[in-house]
Amino acid sequence: MTDAFVFDPRDSRYKFPFGAAACGTEVIFTLRPLRREGFVSAALLCHCEFAATELTVPLPAVGDQGDLFCGTFTVPQQSDLVWYAFRFTRRDGSIVCFGRSGYCHESQLQRWQLTVYDGQSKTPQWFGAGVTYQIFPDRFCRSRLPDPVGTVGDRIVHRDWSEAPLYRPEANGEVTNRDFFGGDLRGIISKLDYLQSLSVTTLYLNPIFEAASNHRYDTADYLAIDPMLGTEEDFRQLCDEAAKRGFRVMLDGVFNHTGSNSRYFNAQGYYPQLGAAQSPASLYAPWYQFHHWPDSYDSWWGIHTLPAVNENEPSYRRFVITGEDSVVRHWLRRGASAWRLDVADELPDDFIAAIRRVMTEEKPDSFLLGEVWEDGSNKIAYSQRRRYLLGAETHGLMNYPFRTAALEWLQGGDAANFKETMETIRENYPPAAFYAAMNSLSTHDTPRILTLLGATQPPRDKDSRAGYHLSPAERFLGLQRLKLAAALLYSFPGSPTVYYGDEVGMEGFEDPFNRGTYPWGNENQKLLRYYQLLGHLRAARPSLQSGDITYLYANGGGLVLRRQSGDEITVTALNASTEPLELTLPWETSLATDALTSQQFFVRDRLLHLCLPPLSALILV
């Protein structure tokens, strides 16, 4: 920032406490302008966005020199976003303002953000502290070759597990995603010991409810497991067996739209009862907005197979949220411990808040996660500022900013930019939400991390990307970078989330190439052991689970994180450049041990001197 010596919101000498503030908290602001500026008074200028109020807080001069201004601001008693800056006055009465870009006229102020959240709202600790494993159910493991007869939609089943997914559109130009491999719940159950070897504590499943497509984001029946995945009893058994191993199950809630072939819309008459597309008298007709019945209606991003629902319709809310056997309640009662809300930007705030209330009533330690791709503390969606993290809605969000910043650094960017991006998130998020973020390197909506880190000249056309495999040289580079990325992932606050198969070197560009089948029997065992070691470290060290974070170094390819919980300290030192990196770090004991290799380093005069080889990582304990 400009003139950092006047005010730095991340330095406790200027603002205390750090970052977001619970409702009613006293925040101390201190300004340190140069004496030559001749200021005789100062004030804090606050705009409370949701309350639509303006506040001015005097910051009296303190000390003998008259160049220090300090005051206390008691933040609002209701959650809000407070946008603040400062105003100085000189002895002659002239006024100058100070904001993010330095001194300026008040009309040009760029303000800082102060998130005010409900400090009484509780966030379950189990999610952010542990490791999450994401499974695309059709592609992880199958217990038998399924029979598609009698299932909704025209399904094709691959007999060969190792085949590539279909990707070309049909004759009408539509991509239907109707090819299935038959991964199922019993297959997942059979691999729970494998997941335990990765120290998994949360199993996140992409949609498992009956649907026409292989991705199942076009829900056909919210209260039925897709028959090719198994039964409700299989789901109960999955949750029970997972609990025996110490981890929980998160379900994907797709509540903004349904499938056109759902029992609610029923465009092709698959279900016996009348759907909204069959009769305006259908019980489900109020759920949808028709422009011309039955062939023109609101849909998700204009995709006609995904008719959008009206989340404000009372009967829909009762069905999904508040009813005695609502969708949310039903699956919590059958063993789920968490919900992930698909396209949270397109769900009303009070709809999300209602889900949170019902989850708390039904299972007090259940966890609600939102799919948001940007900084969720100040997100504007459809011209509306959102309130995801202020205490009444989600406990945490998918941390896509982490993935974006990490990728940029790993591909040759400056670690200082990673630090700046992540410190902005830490500053803006309530602490519980920052530590409850879902951090990932790949998801079902992004290319595989290994492909991104290894491909030096990725092809542009889809046919070429479909059959693309990294060359030996590219794969070597990609694996080196991936090990760096994984060390960062497991060392960072929030839940390190592994997209199935990343831990054994799966490749693939965008959907559906990132949704291949897990290569049972052809895993990269060396990479797998590395992920298992990282998982063990995360499970064994409280400092990695919930410790404070500071940056000891962030420049060019070098990034050093320090995590501390009580007396336990873990330091992760990373070099993403192609040149060696010399570092000198403070260290209190006579030895430092790299937990990844057991290599030990002598410490002299409480200073640890290191030379990190190119593309290497240390986790020092």
Side-chain angles (χ1 to χ4, degrees), residues 2-3 15 79 119 129 137 168 230 286 310 354 363 380 383 468 519 522 542 583:
T2 304
D3 299 321
K15 176 180 174 290
S79 58
R168 290 192 176 93
N310 175 11
K363 188 174 285 190
I380 295 177
S383 303
Y468 187 86
N522 294 294
L583 290 172

Side-chain angles (χ1 to χ4, degrees), residues 115-262:
T115 305
V116 180
Y117 64 95
D118 180 1
Q120 301 302 309
S121 177
K122 303 301 181 184
T123 294
Q125 300 298 304
W126 56 264
F127 178 76
V131 175
T132 300
Y133 193 85
Q134 179 187 352
I135 288 178
F136 192 80
D138 184 59
R139 309 291 163 82
F140 182 62
C141 182
R142 69 184 179 194
S143 64
R144 80 285 189 257
L145 189 66
D147 183 356
V149 174
T151 56
V152 61
D154 300 318
R155 303 188 181 192
I156 301 169
V157 176
H158 295 262
R159 300 187 68 84
D160 185 349
W161 181 254
S162 63
E163 286 180 357
L166 302 181
Y167 69 93
R168 290 192 176 93
E170 296 183 354
N172 62 2
E174 183 180 0
V175 178
T176 60
N177 297 297
R178 300 293 170 82
D179 65 314
F180 288 75
F181 286 83
D184 56 22
L185 298 181
R186 288 190 176 276
I188 297 173
I189 293 171
S190 73
K191 300 299 182 182
L192 290 178
D193 288 344
Y194 167 74
L195 298 179
Q196 190 173 18
S197 79
L198 289 163
S199 301
V200 167
T201 57
T202 302
L203 180 58
Y204 160 41
L205 303 177
N206 289 116
I208 61 172
F209 307 127
E210 186 168 28
S213 72
N214 54 44
H215 55 70
R216 297 187 173 96
Y217 281 94
D218 53 339
T219 312
D221 190 337
Y222 287 105
L223 296 175
I225 302 294
D226 191 281
M228 282 178 52
L229 285 175
T231 65
E232 189 169 296
E233 181 55 37
D234 292 333
F235 177 74
R236 287 174 179 265
Q237 183 183 355
L238 171 61
C239 294
D240 289 345
E241 291 297 326
K244 291 177 184 177
R245 293 162 175 81
F247 52 94
R248 314 186 193 213
V249 175
M250 173 185 287
L251 293 179
D252 215 331
V254 187
F255 301 135
N256 166 261
H257 51 269
T258 68
S260 58
N261 285 324
S262 66

Side-chain angles (χ1 to χ4, degrees), residues 32 239 278 333 361 369 402 425 429 465 487 509 519 602 613-614:
R32 303 171 186 271
C239 294
Q278 294 169 302
R333 291 170 181 171
E361 292 170 9
L369 181 83
F402 168 86
I425 294 291
Y429 281 27
R465 293 197 301 274
F509 284 104
F602 289 103

Side-chain angles (χ1 to χ4, degrees), residues 499-514:
Y499 183 46
Y500 78 101
D502 275 356
E503 77 278 16
V504 294
M506 283 183 67
E507 300 180 21
F509 284 104
E510 76 282 2
D511 166 26
F513 315 124
N514 58 352

Side-chain angles (χ1 to χ4, degrees), residues 37-41 87-97:
E37 295 290 350
F39 299 138
V40 295
S41 66
R87 183 175 63 213
F88 290 106
T89 305
R90 293 191 172 93
R91 194 173 303 278
D92 62 4
S94 61
I95 291 174
V96 63
C97 291

Side-chain angles (χ1 to χ4, degrees), residues 406-467:
L407 270 172
E408 180 186 334
W409 167 64
L410 290 161
Q411 293 173 318
D414 190 342
N417 294 333
F418 175 86
K419 175 186 175 182
E420 173 62 25
T421 300
M422 289 298 95
E423 284 294 89
T424 298
I425 294 291
R426 187 168 75 96
E427 184 180 8
N428 289 350
Y429 281 27
F434 180 72
Y435 282 85
M438 175 185 273
N439 302 332
S440 58
L441 299 170
S442 305
T443 72
H444 62 292
D445 285 327
T446 69
R448 290 274 176 181
I449 182 64
L450 180 57
T451 296
L452 289 179
L453 294 179
T456 53
Q457 292 183 318
R460 293 177 179 270
D461 66 283
K462 195 151 189 172
D463 284 342
S464 297
R465 293 197 301 274

